[in-house]
Amino acid sequence: MEKREYTFTAGLPAAGRALAGVVGSGDLEVLLQPHQAGITVIVVNTSVDGKGAVWDALLARVFGGEPLPAASIVINDCGATPGVVRMRIEQAYEEQAYEELASGEQA
C-alpha cells in the first residue's frame, strides 16, 4: 500500500461534493469536495507500490493545464489504468458541476 500527496494551483472552490467510481469493483474511487480558492490537494491511496512516476505524470497532465476548481480529492486505487483514473477525476468534476446546476434550478 502506498500513499502519495500532491498540491496543484486551482481556480475558485468546487461547487460541491462528488463521488466517482467504486473501489470495491477492483477499479478506483475519487472523492471530491470543495477546498480553499487557488489550491487543489490530492491524496492517492494505492494498492500498487512503485508506480509513483506514473502518478506524478498523470496528475501533472490532468491538473497542469487550465486551472480546475479548487478541491480536496482522495483517490482510492486498486490498480486502475491511467485512462480510468483520468476518466474518474473528470467524472467527479462533472458530477459536482451538475449538482450545482441542479440545486440552482430548484431555487
Side-chain angles (χ1 to χ4, degrees), residues 4-6 8 51-62:
R4 303 188 60 81
E5 297 182 13
Y6 300 87
F8 293 96
K51 295 294 183 181
V54 174
W55 282 104
D56 295 351
L58 171 63
L59 295 176
R61 274 195 309 267
V62 172

Side-chain angles (χ1 to χ4, degrees), residues 12-60:
L12 295 174
R17 297 173 181 235
L19 166 65
V22 179
V23 74
S25 70
D27 192 21
L28 86 156
E29 67 182 1
V30 174
L31 307 155
L32 181 149
Q33 62 184 4
H35 196 268
Q36 71 186 39
I39 300 172
T40 289
V41 176
I42 303 167
V43 175
V44 176
N45 300 303
T46 179
S47 63
V48 181
D49 293 333
K51 295 294 183 181
V54 174
W55 282 104
D56 295 351
L58 171 63
L59 295 176

Side-chain angles (χ1 to χ4, degrees), residues 98-107:
Y98 175 77
E99 292 297 323
E100 178 185 28
L101 290 173
S103 65
E105 291 174 0
Q106 294 175 2

